[in-house]
Amino acid sequence: MLGGQSLATRDKALAVATEVGVDRKKLEAAMGAPEVEATLLESKQLADDLGVEATPTYVIGEAVVPNTRGIVDDLKGRVAALRKCGKAMC
């Protein structure tokens, strides 16, 4: 789903889950559970607070790093900086 160019939908997610062997009825039942709803809302709020607009997005220290063409080198540099000075950029 992440490799596609279109938005993920409930139906697409259920189709992928079914393709990999997940019991669709059990999954649909679990999706409606209050604790799942609460977790999703909490995750959405955290993403909003951090300014995350797409996936994948990485958080290195206090820096929010969206996926880009040069992501691997960018992440390596930010992790090295975090180890060196405690910040994503020294």
Side-chain angles (χ1 to χ4, degrees), residues 51-65:
V52 172
E53 296 179 0
T55 59
T57 296
Y58 306 90
V59 179
I60 308 294
E62 294 183 12
V64 177
V65 186

Side-chain angles (χ1 to χ4, degrees), residues 33-55:
E35 60 269 18
V36 171
E37 288 286 328
T39 299
L40 291 173
L41 289 173
E42 182 180 341
S43 295
K44 173 71 169 94
Q45 185 62 56
L46 178 59
D48 289 346
D49 291 348
L50 293 172
V52 172
E53 296 179 0
T55 59

Side-chain angles (χ1 to χ4, degrees), residues 1 13 19 24 38 43 80-81:
M1 288 181 62
E19 285 176 25
R24 185 179 178 117
S43 295

